[in-house]
Amino acid sequence: MKKRPLRVLLTGASGQVGTEIRRRAGHLEILAPTRAEFDLARPESLGSWLRLNRPQLIVNAGAYTAVDRAEDEEALAFRVNAEAVESLASFANKADIPLLQLSTDYVFDGTKTSPYLESDLPHPASAYGRSKAAGEVAARAARRHAILRLSWIFAAHGSNFVRTMLRLARERPLLRVVDDQIGGPTWAGHVADALLGWIDAFAAGREPASGTWHLGGTPHASWHGFAREVLGQAHRRGLIASLPTLEAIATHQFPARARRPANSRLDDTRTRDVLGLRPADWHQGLARTLDEIAHAERAAAG
């Protein structure tokens, strides 16, 4: 008898990582409820859906990600990013299934001068960061869990820096981009590959040990350096007619409601050594992202 595919609950299925997972997960039974069916902002309502549908593994890619707005909506950010995770972890324990939780570099304040290790204590500097750090604590209540910290996610879909740079480059002759925040741009497709590798190992009876893992793109870059590469590759593909002037500025010259980490570098040595993941060169992910955008725009133009 043919073995039934693993039944996986995927929250945030229409987001950047969620979309990439669904594209690659033909061998899985992906449960992707709508917000009306499964609203992370209403943690108390999640249990009934979970008991009815009984997933065999949970990937929590859903989150409140409005970093600046979270300063005024901290209670909502905590409901989605922490209290909902408590509900997921509680069900995971009762059902004895794994919970895979996506987290962020924003759990750190960015004051460390070297890349952050998984063992470094979180010290968030924003409401969003505090809510995600609380979500990590909630996820660890699940006996079987994996917390994957990410930084600077981008894809051909959704709201992200790459798409913003393309839009602004078509509208303005001058772009001013912060040059004193350093991180690892990370293609959502690489994150999806990592998560599916973890899921496939679990399905094959080789479940990795529970813990926290770092996954970030290489090489590290500033937002300004990342923007320069985005615009250069976009121009070569004809996505922008001309290159705008790109001016490097300091963080204090671009005021934002929430404080961003100056250092968002995540050391992923342990992830590569233990999970066997190869380093993710964001240049390759960027090329695939821009190729996809170019293809979609050509198709839309007929």
Side-chain angles (χ1 to χ4, degrees):
M1 182 181 293
K2 187 177 180 180
K3 187 177 180 180
R4 289 191 62 182
L6 190 71
R7 195 164 60 256
V8 176
L9 167 61
L10 174 63
T11 70
S14 62
Q16 295 181 86
V17 173
T19 297
E20 296 295 338
I21 289 175
R22 287 187 291 110
R23 287 175 169 179
R24 295 160 167 77
H27 61 300
L28 302 172
E29 181 184 350
I30 296 293
L31 306 177
T34 64
R35 180 176 296 180
E37 299 170 306
F38 198 81
D39 188 355
L40 296 177
R42 297 174 56 239
E44 70 285 352
S45 70
L46 305 181
S48 58
W49 189 97
L50 289 164
R51 290 188 295 272
L52 178 64
N53 292 276
R54 301 196 64 78
Q56 296 168 288
L57 185 146
I58 300 171
V59 178
N60 186 28
Y64 179 107
T65 58
V67 175
D68 288 316
R69 198 162 68 238
E71 297 297 311
D72 298 313
E73 297 181 346
E74 189 162 358
L76 175 58
F78 266 79
R79 281 202 303 276
V80 174
N81 293 343
E83 294 171 30
V85 183
E86 291 179 4
S87 296
L88 296 176
S90 175
F91 177 83
N93 275 337
K94 291 173 183 175
D96 192 25
I97 64 172
L99 168 62
L100 277 58
Q101 169 75 13
L102 298 191
S103 192
T104 173
D105 57 293
Y106 276 68
V107 301
F108 301 115
D109 62 13
T111 58
K112 187 179 178 182
T113 57
S114 58
Y116 281 94
L117 304 170
E118 290 90 345
S119 56
D120 287 326
L121 291 177
H123 189 252
S126 66
Y128 167 70
R130 290 190 291 272
S131 72
K132 291 298 287 184
E136 290 190 359
V137 174
R140 291 189 187 99
R143 290 184 297 274
R144 302 162 70 181
H145 69 267
I147 298 166
L148 194 61
R149 290 187 184 133
L150 314 171
S151 65
W152 297 16
I153 298 294
F154 67 90
H157 41 84
S159 176
N160 58 67
F161 184 77
V162 171
R163 288 171 57 86
T164 297
M165 285 296 102
L166 283 181
R167 175 177 59 80
L168 293 178
R170 291 166 170 173
E171 299 172 352
R172 305 176 186 177
L174 170 65
L175 301 182
R176 305 170 76 234
V177 182
V178 169
D179 197 34
D180 57 359
Q181 296 174 22
I182 310 297
T186 309
W187 178 45
H190 179 76
V191 179
D193 289 338
L195 287 166
L196 289 170
W198 198 105
I199 292 169
D200 290 344
F202 162 74
R206 303 189 309 273
E207 181 178 345
S210 292
T212 301
W213 312 88
H214 283 177
L215 184 67
T218 58
H220 295 139
S222 69
W223 285 117
H224 180 269
F226 187 25
R228 184 172 58 244
E229 185 65 20
V230 170
L231 297 177
Q233 286 204 30
H235 185 246
R236 290 193 291 274
R237 286 168 172 78
L239 284 166
I240 52 177
S242 60
L243 286 171
T245 299
L246 191 62
E247 179 183 339
I249 62 172
T251 296
H252 69 84
Q253 294 175 275
F254 190 81
R257 185 82 171 83
R259 178 180 159 193
R260 269 69 171 170
N263 173 23
S264 285
R265 294 174 295 162
L266 300 175
D267 188 313
D268 63 356
T269 302
R270 177 171 169 268
T271 303
R272 289 186 276 113
D273 290 349
V274 178
L275 299 186
L277 297 174
R278 66 184 183 279
D281 188 326
W282 56 264
H283 295 85
Q284 298 169 7
L286 177 61
R288 294 181 65 171
T289 294
L290 293 174
D291 284 343
E292 182 178 341
I293 292 173
H295 176 78
E297 292 189 355
R298 285 194 299 268

